Amino acid sequence: VPDLTPGERRVLLALCAPVLDGDAFTPPASVQSIANELIVTESAVKQQLGRLYLKFDVLEGSDRRVRLANEALIRGAVSLADLRSLREES
């Protein structure tokens, strides 16, 4: 798992949060919904995502947010317990 800043971790958790909705093919959160949830600009979210793509070796291409969310879950950077805890705080 790459080292993450607190801001990157918050964005990653918000990105992966829809996994808890229970649908098999639930897409990750959109840039706009992450920005709204974290009360930051979309530009700030895009900047964090750019760094996360590099840290998780997610190359250019389609479904980049989906691939990042999958990598974060596979590598253990985000766990279901993390996401449940986040949802309970909201």
Side-chain angles (χ1 to χ4, degrees):
V1 177
D3 288 330
L4 302 174
T5 66
E8 291 168 346
R9 178 136 174 85
R10 283 191 302 273
V11 167
L12 203 53
L13 287 169
L15 176 74
C16 295
V19 164
L20 293 180
D21 292 339
D23 295 332
F25 298 104
T26 302
S30 68
V31 170
Q32 182 179 8
S33 67
I34 294 169
N36 291 342
E37 180 180 332
L38 300 179
I39 311 170
V40 297
T41 65
E42 289 183 33
S43 178
V45 171
K46 289 177 183 178
Q47 193 172 48
Q48 296 283 13
L49 285 172
R51 286 195 290 272
L52 288 165
Y53 294 138
L54 291 173
K55 288 184 176 188
F56 284 89
D57 299 318
V58 176
L59 304 175
E60 295 283 336
S62 63
D63 299 325
R64 208 167 181 201
R65 282 182 302 105
V66 171
R67 290 184 287 132
L68 175 59
N70 285 334
E71 281 297 314
L73 290 164
I74 289 167
R75 293 190 195 188
V78 172
S79 70
L80 292 178
D82 294 333
L83 298 175
R84 286 187 192 106
S85 176
L86 179 69
R87 190 160 278 176
E88 290 171 3
E89 292 173 8
S90 299

